[in-house]
Amino acid sequence: MSVVEYSQGAKFPGKIGRSATESSPAWPQPVRAKESAPNVLFFILDDVGYGQLSCFGGLIETPNIDRVAAMGLRYANMHTTALCSPTRSCVLTGRNHHSNGVASIMETATGYPGYDARMPFENGMLSEMLTQHGYNTFCIGKWHLSPSEDNTAAGPFHRWPLGRGFERFYGFLGGETNQWYPDLTEDNRSAPQPTSPEDGYHLNIDLADKAIKMVLDAHVNAPEKPFFLYYATGAAHAPHHVEQEWIEKYKGKFDAGWDSYREQVFANQKEIGLLPADAQLPERDADVPVWDTLSSDEQGLYARFMEVYAGFLSQTDYHFGRILDALEMIDELDNTIVMVLSDNGASAEGGPVGSVNEMLFFNNIPETFEDNLAQADLLGGTKSYNHYPWGWTWAGNTPFRRWKRETYRGGSTDPFVVAWPKGIKARGEVRHQYAHAIDMTPTILEALGVEPPAAIRGVAQSALEGVSFAHTFDAPGAPTNHSTQYFEMFAHRAIDHDGWRAVCPWPGVNFVEAAKKGRKFGSPTPPEVIDELETGAWELYHVAEDPTESRNLAAEHPAKLRELVSLWWVEAGKYKVLPLDGDITTRLMVERPQTSRPRTSFTYYPGLSVIPALATPQVQNRPHSIAADVEIPAGGAEGVLLAQGGAAGGYVLYVKDGKLHYAHNYSGKAIFAVESADELPTGRHSLRFEFEPTGPPDFPSGKGAPGRFQLYVDSELVGTVDVPHTVPVTYELEGLSCGYDFAAPVLEDVYKAPFTFTGTLHSVTVEVDGELIEDDEATLRRLMAQQ
């Protein structure tokens, strides 16, 4: 007898009698996808420019993304918001970033509807929509879509991936992580790193392994059930970490420099049809030095930075290819809609000369060319935290102007590839219709034949703001459905409308010109500044004929410019873009709602989840203490009591060789340490470290407060040393762990992580009752690089 089913809420169609023999059963109908419904795979790259992938004319080999392009389409006119979290919110919801409350990264939230980083539940995610239609939903990699205040083991979890429609999650919640020693979360809990770099660990390997496992686990149990996989690597965001063999693939490949790279890629893009034959490169960027003016040592080091980045991106592509191979193995690749997108243009956070350790830049610690040259062999490895010079950023965004965080096309026009062999007949073609990240979800819904839901979990849904481009799949000449799109990022603004583009750069067209007016990135935008911008800063480009923004037509077409500027203000009102705010330092200092009330005492227990870096006690530049309640067994004990950060900066309180030690890693530049004079006695004791500042911090010189390190066993002073300075702003962007060092060891040459404490550790208490002194500008540099 076949099973009788009925829809939820419908009348029970069976029969209920006095006994089971007099009754007939029926079952609530399971949610099932349509027969042969396609799978969906979003591959979201990080900080990859328009001119870096080989299928977009770039000189970095990405054969698996090329493979997707060959069996599908490249979209030459795809746009993002110019920043990480905002674009990701658009991709997953089909609404604009201000409509999602994600005007910028989550760490710069302010108390306005377009800026509060609390994504409204009436803006449902594609994951939430597809679970209603019988899909498995998997999220792998970078999230960065929940308020940073909520990313601890205390939650709340309703804006973590599992709270937004994903059934499984494995990755990291913040904006970046160490590729060798990542801060991992699985579902709603902190997850240990499965192996070490010495044993072959790399985050890209791990993410691909988990993606394949999630898909195959579901497939063997329900082969007909489709999936939505959101695969968002940390690559190619800094730190640029990768195995040496991938770096060596590119040895010597970039010796000709960034000017030559830009010319070669521009020619390639014309040849493959991404650009018209008469397109022109904009005038060179005033912030980027001419390659031939650099010394041979500078050229050699800068080329090496790019070799590392290229190896990192190629390695990322390789592991993405393993996912494609797995889908092909189970005969699902042909019926999978694959979309590959970078979240914004290439990143300039490496500065003009690059960085071996970005923590130095964040802390305003001088990083000399000579120091970097001496450490060139460390690039990409476990002892580096590197980012390339911004000359490669400029080249990587060929053929466009500028870069990430700015709304010129270099920041907001990105590589985009689509394939669906079973549903798209075209192969290897280019599409020039206008599209934006908000169009991806509407396109998927149309391709699946699914209507946007009226409600999700009882919450009435807002209208989608993107439009589908599915009609362009097999129609290269079809008109675009997306004719108007605004842009805003830290008061840098633009608008596209019917082939025209207006741009209002802030703080200027480049840093050189901004400095002449006494402005820099993050400068405030009071009313008088906005008035000034409205009357003279807007530029106009006819991008239908000049896609590279090379000819400013503002003086020639003032009426068209006024039309577009007026339209920008209309769109701004419609999508919650106001108030304009370029003052990033103030935005960082805004008081935000917290799960926990302010406190000065923090108690931790061994084996608990890692505390995210942004939720750790702020011990820098203030008196503080760390007290561990331990039992030392006969024969002694060793291991970490408390640790935060890693080889690029951090601190650790630990026991080794029978003695108590505290070490402060000054951003990889120096180690300041103190140890107890005698071996620790057996039994239960309080092991305590105290920091007493002996002077103020010198933020301009990259030096935190000098002070005195003191160690106590119970109430007895057992060790003391004066230190000239400390880390002023931030340690390596790893969290805090109690009873072990969870990731990159703070002292690589002293112990191997996790170096778990072998005695009995009852608790560790951190007291921070002294006044906190902060460097707002340095904090800004750190947070803006975590995008």
Side-chain angles (χ1 to χ4, degrees):
M1 180 178 176
S2 62
V3 173
V4 176
E5 297 178 347
Y6 62 100
S7 300
Q8 287 281 1
K11 182 180 178 181
F12 177 68
K15 178 182 176 182
I16 299 178
R18 292 177 303 166
S19 67
T21 56
E22 300 173 297
S23 306
S24 57
W27 298 85
Q29 188 178 63
V31 176
R32 299 189 184 96
K34 296 178 181 178
E35 187 174 352
S36 301
N39 309 301
V40 178
L41 167 56
F42 284 177
F43 178 21
I44 307 300
L45 290 158
D46 203 328
D47 290 1
V48 174
Y50 191 91
Q52 291 181 323
L53 304 178
S54 47
C55 58
F56 271 72
L59 305 186
I60 301 174
E61 297 174 14
T62 51
N64 290 292
I65 300 175
D66 295 359
R67 171 184 172 190
V68 176
M71 63 185 187
L73 304 164
R74 281 165 293 182
Y75 279 76
N77 203 10
M78 180 57 152
H79 300 78
T80 62
T81 68
L83 204 62
C84 158
S85 301
T87 292
R88 293 160 194 266
S89 80
C90 296
V91 165
L92 285 170
T93 67
R95 284 89 165 183
N96 283 301
H97 56 307
H98 293 88
S99 296
N100 288 322
V102 189
S104 66
I105 57 171
M106 314 310 279
E107 294 82 357
T108 58
T110 58
Y112 302 100
Y115 293 76
D116 62 15
R118 274 69 179 164
M119 294 183 66
F121 294 104
E122 58 265 28
N123 291 5
M125 291 190 176
L126 183 61
S127 47
E128 296 170 297
M129 301 176 197
L130 294 186
T131 54
Q132 297 184 356
H133 293 274
Y135 275 70
N136 280 132
T137 52
F138 309 127
C139 182
I140 294 285
K142 175 174 173 175
W143 182 238
H144 210 198
L145 287 175
S146 49
S148 55
E149 298 84 9
D150 295 353
N151 288 345
T152 74
F157 302 102
H158 56 299
R159 287 189 170 91
W160 290 30
L162 267 60
R164 294 308 307 251
F166 287 103
E167 298 169 319
R168 299 295 312 278
F169 170 60
Y170 184 84
F172 56 102
L173 293 171
E176 73 171 60
T177 196
N178 190 312
Q179 298 287 313
W180 299 115
Y181 298 101
D183 190 352
L184 293 169
T185 296
E186 184 167 16
D187 297 333
N188 280 352
R189 60 181 179 83
S190 177
Q193 185 171 322
T195 57
S196 69
E198 294 80 5
D199 295 326
Y201 183 87
H202 188 280
L203 181 59
N204 275 336
I205 301 172
D206 193 11
L207 295 181
D209 286 347
K210 289 295 192 299
I212 292 167
K213 187 176 187 301
M214 286 183 190
V215 169
L216 294 185
D217 278 349
H219 179 78
V220 299
N221 288 287
E224 72 289 343
K225 188 172 185 178
F227 65 82
F228 169 40
L229 171 61
Y230 179 75
Y231 183 69
T233 58
H237 194 294
H240 302 155
H241 286 155
V242 69
E243 301 93 338
Q244 193 67 29
E245 57 266 29
W246 287 100
I247 301 173
E248 293 308 310
K249 278 171 53 72
Y250 289 97
K251 189 171 182 61
K253 296 291 180 67
F254 304 106
D255 289 353
W258 43 63
D259 294 284
S260 174
Y261 182 104
R262 194 161 164 89
E263 294 288 347
Q264 290 181 63
V265 171
F266 186 53
N268 292 344
Q269 291 169 336
K270 287 185 175 182
E271 183 178 344
I272 60 181
L274 294 171
L275 297 172
D278 61 352
Q280 299 178 20
L281 276 176
E283 62 183 36
R284 73 170 297 110
D285 197 298
D287 292 333
V288 179
V290 176
W291 182 261
D292 289 343
T293 65
L294 302 174
S295 70
S296 59
D297 281 347
E298 287 173 319
Q299 290 179 349
L301 177 61
Y302 298 165
R304 186 61 172 179
F305 272 111
M306 185 58 184
E307 291 167 7
V308 174
Y309 176 86
F312 186 27
L313 186 54
S314 285
Q315 184 247 31
T316 303
D317 174 87
Y318 172 81
H319 292 292
F320 170 60
R322 293 172 49 218
I323 298 173
L324 299 180
D325 291 344
L327 296 181
E328 193 167 43
M329 177 188 73
I330 61 175
D331 200 27
E332 289 291 342
L333 184 58
D334 281 355
N335 198 30
T336 299
I337 304 173
V338 182
M339 292 186 173
V340 183
L341 176 73
S342 176
D343 61 357
N344 44 244
S347 165
E349 277 111 19
V353 299
S355 178
V356 173
N357 175 6
E358 272 199 316
M359 296 304 118
L360 300 176
F361 173 70
F362 302 156
N363 285 294
N364 206 37
I365 299 171
E367 186 171 16
T368 68
F369 172 78
E370 290 74 21
D371 287 344
N372 286 350
L373 184 63
Q375 299 178 83
D377 289 342
L378 300 179
L379 293 174
T382 59
K383 293 185 178 181
S384 70
Y385 209 92
N386 48 292
H387 196 311
Y388 58 23
W390 67 30
W392 292 117
T393 311
W394 174 66
N397 288 327
T398 303
F400 303 123
R401 303 175 61 176
R402 302 299 287 170
W403 40 57
K404 171 184 175 181
R405 298 191 314 213
E406 300 183 18
T407 64
Y408 284 117
R409 296 197 71 187
S412 63
T413 304
D414 294 286
F416 182 60
V417 178
V418 179
W420 180 20
K422 190 174 180 180
I424 300 175
K425 297 176 183 177
R427 296 289 184 272
E429 297 181 10
V430 176
R431 295 288 181 267
H432 292 276
Q433 290 87 351
Y434 191 96
H436 188 276
I438 60 174
D439 299 333
M440 290 170 64
T441 282
T443 301
I444 292 298
L445 295 179
E446 180 177 345
L448 302 184
V450 169
E451 291 293 322
I456 293 177
R457 291 194 291 271
V459 178
Q461 293 296 287
S462 65
L464 297 182
E465 293 165 1
V467 293
S468 171
F469 51 83
H471 67 294
T472 68
F473 286 167
D474 287 312
T480 181
N481 287 337
H482 196 142
S483 60
T484 304
Q485 179 62 46
Y486 82 92
F487 298 84
E488 188 276 338
M489 193 56 59
F490 303 115
H492 201 294
R493 293 173 284 159
I495 187 163
D496 290 336
H497 179 67
D498 288 343
W500 289 84
R501 185 164 222 267
V503 183
C504 185
W506 174 257
V509 296
N510 52 54
F511 299 149
V512 169
E513 293 302 316
K516 291 178 181 178
K517 296 183 178 182
R519 297 169 179 169
K520 60 183 178 179
F521 177 74
S523 291
T525 49
E528 59 272 19
V529 167
I530 294 176
D531 290 342
E532 177 187 338
L533 294 175
E534 293 308 291
T535 57
W538 282 93
E539 303 166 358
L540 180 69
Y541 302 95
H542 193 191
V543 288
E545 298 178 358
D546 173 28
T548 64
E549 299 175 318
S550 64
R551 299 184 299 277
N552 181 6
L553 304 178
E556 298 174 42
H557 299 279
K560 174 59 71 174
L561 179 59
R562 286 195 298 272
E563 175 193 345
L564 264 65
V565 172
S566 296
L567 184 57
W568 187 91
W569 285 99
V570 170
E571 297 294 287
K574 184 187 303 183
Y575 295 117
K576 305 177 184 177
V577 182
L578 303 179
L580 288 177
D581 189 0
D583 185 354
I584 302 176
T585 300
T586 299
R587 288 165 73 165
L588 288 171
M589 301 305 294
V590 167
E591 186 175 356
R592 303 180 186 92
Q594 303 287 326
T595 302
S596 176
R597 293 183 176 87
R599 53 187 170 138
T600 59
S601 180
F602 303 77
T603 299
Y604 303 105
Y605 303 94
L608 295 184
S609 298
V610 174
I611 309 301
L614 292 176
T616 58
Q618 297 303 294
V619 298
Q620 296 94 325
N621 309 307
R622 70 196 308 180
H624 63 271
S625 65
I626 305 171
D629 180 1
V630 307
E631 290 183 45
I632 306 295
E638 67 173 8
V640 168
L641 301 172
L642 196 73
Q644 182 179 349
Y651 67 84
V652 58
L653 182 65
Y654 66 102
V655 176
K656 192 172 190 292
D657 299 328
K659 296 183 178 182
L660 178 63
H661 300 256
Y662 174 88
H664 183 94
N665 185 326
Y666 176 63
S667 299
K669 299 280 284 185
I671 302 295
F672 302 124
V674 61
E675 69 175 47
S676 60
D678 301 315
E679 292 188 5
L680 296 173
T682 59
R684 189 161 182 171
H685 300 281
S686 172
L687 307 182
R688 182 179 179 88
F689 163 79
E690 289 188 2
F691 175 69
E692 178 187 341
T694 55
D698 180 3
F699 291 128
S701 300
K703 296 178 179 180
R708 182 166 296 121
F709 290 179
Q710 299 171 104
L711 294 178
Y712 293 84
V713 175
D714 300 323
S715 58
E716 181 183 354
L717 180 66
V718 296
T720 182
V721 65
D722 288 341
V723 298
H725 49 261
T726 52
V727 172
V729 179
T730 186
Y731 305 120
E732 184 169 336
L733 300 176
E734 296 180 12
L736 178 149
S737 49
C738 181
Y740 65 105
D741 192 339
F742 90 99
V746 175
L747 301 173
E748 280 199 321
D749 297 330
V750 175
Y751 62 84
K752 181 180 179 181
F755 199 39
T756 303
F757 185 64
T758 57
T760 300
L761 177 59
H762 295 285
S763 64
V764 178
T765 298
V766 180
E767 301 278 356
V768 287
D769 51 4
E771 181 182 357
L772 176 64
I773 305 172
E774 292 185 290
D775 181 354
D776 300 339
E777 290 194 5
T779 301
L780 164 64
R781 288 193 294 272
R782 171 177 63 84
L783 291 176
M784 289 312 303
Q786 294 173 235
Q787 305 165 45

